Amino acid sequence: MGLSAKQQIRAQRRAARRAIVGARNLAEDGERIAEHLQPLLDHLEIGARDCVPAYEALPLEPRIDEVCRVLTARGARVLVPLTLASFDLDWADAADPERTALGVAALADARLILAPALSVDAAGTRLGQAGGCYDRALPRAAASAVIVAVLHPGEFVNGRLPADSWDHPVDAVVSAAGLAWTAYGMVRHAALPD
């Protein structure tokens, strides 16, 4: 049995990511990502009353350490995922070295969510690593939450990515190249800054 179209594209995107990462300074890219998110953080007035679900980067993922530092400096609580046996996501405070589970609904009050992705298309279709973890977790987010996928430059694609009924779209993407809104996000959050 051959690979599905989605599996083939995921394999292509993983190979492309390895090439991208080999040619980039990930620490500098992380600083650019933080700079590009600043206008959105300002517009949303992210601060002490906020929790922001984020992630801890795997070796080939965009670094968001600087973003997390900026969020913490603003007083926001940064949450990181804990992958459950069911491939759902629980959440823990990034500042908690014990990674005490806060529950799967911990992201429900977040106004901003930073999600990893392999690629995103202009419509907002997010291609992840195939576990479906974020597709299980994101429906628990508030309807008004801004969901931003964090990518490397070149991973926001013009063509359509394959999508299944359970795939949760994203509102925007951010990379070292900038912040861009998807069609899904432009409909949901028309008044937010570029």
Side-chain angles (χ1 to χ4, degrees), residues 30-47 67 70-71 74 111-112 114 146 148 172-181 189 191-194:
E31 292 172 9
R32 300 294 85 72
I33 289 168
E35 290 170 10
H36 295 309
L37 276 174
Q38 200 69 251
L40 181 59
L41 299 178
D42 291 344
H43 183 84
L44 293 174
E45 297 178 346
I46 296 295
V67 173
V70 167
L71 290 167
R74 294 174 78 102
R111 296 184 302 128
L112 174 65
L114 302 176
V146 179
V148 179
V173 300
V174 67
S175 74
L179 177 74
W181 291 92
H189 304 287
L192 291 175
D194 289 335

Side-chain angles (χ1 to χ4, degrees), residues 105-159:
L107 81 164
D109 295 327
R111 296 184 302 128
L112 174 65
I113 298 170
L114 302 176
L118 273 174
S119 194
V120 173
D121 69 20
T125 303
R126 176 188 162 275
L127 183 68
Q129 293 287 355
C133 298
Y134 279 84
D135 295 317
R136 287 176 180 86
L138 291 175
R140 292 186 197 99
S144 59
V146 179
I147 302 168
V148 179
V150 185
L151 302 172
H152 292 296
E155 294 180 331
F156 184 41
V157 298
N158 290 325

